[in-house]
Amino acid sequence: MSEPQTGPETVRDLIARQPPAPGTTGLLRRVCRAAAQALAASGAGASVMTANGTRGISAASDPASERVEDLQFVLGEGPCIDAFTDTRPVLIPDLADPAAQRWPVYTPAARDSGVCAVFAFPLQVGAARLGVLDVYRDRPGSLTGEELGCALTFADVTVHALLDRERDGDLLGDVRHRAELFQAQGMVMVQLGVPIEEAMIRLRAHAYAEERPIGDVARDVVAGRLRLDRP
Amino acid sequence: MTIISAHRLAAAFVDVADTLIDEFDLLEFLHMVAERTASLVGAASVGLLLADERGALEFVAASDENTALLELFAMQTREGPCLDAFRTGQPVIDVRLGDAADRWPRFAPRATAAGFTAVHALPLRLRRQVIGALNVFGSPAGGTFDPADVPVIQALADVAAIGLLQERTIRRGEILSEQLQGALNSRIVIEQAKGAVAQAHGVSVDEAFVVLRAHARRHNRRLTDVARLVVTDPAALRALTP
């Protein structure tokens, strides 16, 4: 395996270079445009979903991809819905392949729209699920290892941008897979009696307000030196 | 002279094969491989690390979990026996941690401080690719094995890799990536659940893991399912008794 090629910094940069657009929809549209370019895709779509799979906000890189993104919510099936439900990517390099027959309505409809490959990436951190990023291609074929890594980084960056749109993403640092950070999220969830998604935001907000690295804050929470429900 | 009896080895492989037949959950499967390997070689601890799509080694499952052990796995993104086995594709066998400070200046002292005396790492091989490593820690109580046992342990490591390559996987290469990412995310859910249980029941995160695992076994449920439930359902979290 090679060294990671497209890190979070690069991805944030690619998103920042897209034309500005307001609100969460604007953020998602910029993510989709940057992802489509970086992954040599014909388009990309992103949907924010509630825990029961209901779609909230969505956006796409272009009007055609927006229609494809809408398809699975209209039809109630598709790789994006499965990726969200199963909490893992669904990678379909060829919609003509038998593997794609599990969506009897979606697959022919997507192919009619000119889509040949779909790669759906959950926007999630553990049990916190926010939605899905879909990458569409008008030609069949797998993502390379490098492209897969890049797509996963896009998903990571989008999660953190959605959780905390106003703040600097640098707080994330290299703590992506630090056990303590995730344990602290679980503890703060119970301390504040809030869902895990909100616990993540509160933890990051505390780190931001105190100007401390989030890893240090997490360590204090796990060690019992800091509680977010007490001043 | 091997220390592993053919009978015990056969039992371990049967267990592993059984899991492959059931509805497959990668993380659950890897936990089982780690536990069986630990009991087979009498090791203090066994862990499995897999390379993510970005080429970094990530801890996924272990025979037991505590903060010190998790840190030893986490460190191996940068240095340690698993990284060596992963990079070279060759087993790292019976390295005495007391003599390994030059080889792993950060890892060796921490592993020694955690009470381990020897370490082994075997590459997880899938076709020609190395996708991770099996890590075996020995303590004075056990976990040192005879050179004759190396092929046996490597066979277990290969079985762990085969678990990633089920019939469905052979049909479609993408399944491996899907399962791997799913397992890495489940790993995060377990950490979140440890925190939630620790806070709700006033125990340490290490104890919280034991509570989660005991509950899963008592109710014949997957650890990952129990973990997901306690993070998403406050009533389930309250009902979990230490």
Side-chain angles (χ1 to χ4, degrees):
Chain A
M1 295 235 179
S2 56
E3 290 299 304
Q5 305 281 326
T6 316
E9 295 309 318
T10 313
V11 165
R12 278 190 210 110
D13 228 44
L14 292 171
I15 297 168
R17 269 190 239 149
Q18 302 300 319
T24 303
T25 315
L27 167 72
L28 291 178
R29 189 173 305 132
R30 299 169 87 194
V31 166
C32 290
R33 284 184 177 156
Q37 284 171 15
L39 297 165
S42 49
S47 294
V48 173
M49 293 151 84
T50 62
N52 66 10
T54 310
R55 182 166 67 155
I57 297 160
S58 75
S61 56
D62 57 285
S65 299
E66 204 165 312
R67 282 191 293 278
V68 178
E69 184 70 15
D70 283 346
L71 259 186
Q72 40 198 338
F73 293 96
V74 174
L75 302 173
E77 64 172 34
C80 151
I81 290 171
D82 284 8
F84 185 79
T85 308
D86 299 343
T87 65
R88 64 188 201 189
V90 173
L91 310 174
I92 307 296
D94 189 354
L95 280 173
D97 189 83
Q101 300 316 308
R102 58 178 139 154
W103 309 291
V105 193
Y106 168 82
T107 297
R111 291 180 70 194
D112 282 349
S113 309
V115 176
C116 292
V118 183
F119 308 97
F121 300 90
L123 302 173
Q124 65 185 1
V125 180
R129 298 189 295 161
L130 304 178
V132 175
L133 174 67
D134 293 311
V135 176
Y136 304 112
R137 275 181 173 173
D138 56 10
R139 61 186 192 285
S142 300
L143 293 175
T144 64
E146 198 180 310
E147 287 168 339
L148 197 49
C150 176
L152 291 164
T153 304
F154 260 99
D156 272 358
V157 167
T158 309
V159 166
H160 290 284
L162 283 172
L163 285 177
D164 205 348
R165 287 201 305 110
E166 307 307 318
R167 294 183 219 284
D168 183 358
D170 289 343
L171 280 173
L172 188 60
D174 62 350
V175 293
R176 190 166 61 91
H177 288 294
R178 281 293 300 271
E180 271 169 351
L181 176 63
F182 305 125
Q183 292 165 2
Q185 290 168 358
M187 295 182 78
V188 168
M189 177 184 91
V190 175
Q191 287 173 8
L192 301 176
V194 297
I196 190 77
E197 293 83 359
E198 189 179 335
M200 293 165 63
I201 296 171
R202 299 284 282 268
L203 201 58
R204 299 186 71 203
H206 182 91
Y208 183 79
E210 303 281 319
E211 292 183 345
R212 298 180 61 199
I214 194 162
D216 293 358
V217 173
R219 194 167 304 125
D220 283 354
V221 169
V222 173
R225 289 188 293 265
L226 171 68
R227 292 186 62 122
L228 295 200
D229 56 345
R230 287 178 197 158
Chain B
M1 201 12 222
T2 175
I3 54 166
I4 299 168
S5 79
H7 175 74
R8 290 177 61 211
L9 182 64
F13 277 102
V14 166
D15 278 348
V16 170
D18 275 353
T19 317
L20 288 172
I21 295 164
D22 295 342
E23 195 192 334
F24 187 72
D25 180 89
L26 180 57
L27 196 63
E28 207 69 18
F29 170 76
L30 295 175
H31 263 127
M32 203 264 302
V33 170
E35 285 176 5
R36 291 299 179 278
T37 307
S39 73
L40 205 57
V41 298
S45 294
V46 171
L48 283 152
L49 288 84
L50 292 179
D52 71 8
E53 304 296 341
R54 289 161 269 208
L57 278 182
E58 299 281 357
F59 161 67
V60 281
S63 57
D64 61 310
E65 287 193 16
N66 60 63
T67 305
L69 192 59
L70 290 190
E71 203 174 332
L72 289 176
F73 292 132
M75 285 175 81
Q76 297 191 64
T77 302
R78 297 211 166 81
E79 71 167 51
C82 285
L83 189 61
D84 291 358
F86 173 65
R87 283 193 172 152
T88 63
Q90 298 301 314
V92 174
I93 296 300
D94 203 20
V95 176
R96 300 281 132 183
L97 286 163
D99 307 328
D102 287 344
R103 184 169 179 180
W104 305 307
R106 290 182 67 234
F107 174 84
R110 296 293 267 278
T112 305
F116 298 118
T117 50
V119 70
H120 325 266
L122 297 111
L124 296 182
R125 300 172 301 204
L126 204 57
R127 301 193 183 108
R128 284 184 194 159
Q129 203 186 353
V130 182
I131 57 162
L134 176 84
N135 204 180
V136 180
F137 284 98
S139 68
T144 50
F145 48 78
D146 191 281
D149 288 322
V150 172
V152 172
I153 309 302
Q154 182 64 57
L156 276 167
D158 290 343
V159 164
I162 288 164
L164 300 163
L165 232 197
Q166 295 219 76
E167 182 254 340
R168 289 175 302 162
T169 318
I170 296 162
R171 277 212 312 268
R172 205 159 68 81
E174 270 72 16
I175 292 267
L176 174 60
S177 299
E178 295 175 2
Q179 283 185 343
L180 175 60
Q181 291 303 320
L184 292 175
N185 191 61
S186 295
R187 187 61 244 167
I188 296 174
V189 180
I190 290 174
E191 298 302 340
Q192 290 169 336
K194 281 189 202 174
V197 171
Q199 185 67 56
H201 295 288
V203 297
S204 73
V205 288
D206 290 355
E207 289 163 331
F209 177 76
V210 176
V211 171
L212 284 162
R213 192 170 59 175
H215 182 90
R217 286 190 175 153
R218 205 158 50 234
H219 298 274
N220 201 18
R221 302 191 57 183
R222 289 174 173 164
L223 177 62
T224 46
D225 293 341
V226 172
R228 192 171 296 279
L229 193 63
V230 302
V231 180
T232 51
D233 180 358
L237 176 60
R238 279 192 301 274
L240 202 73
T241 44

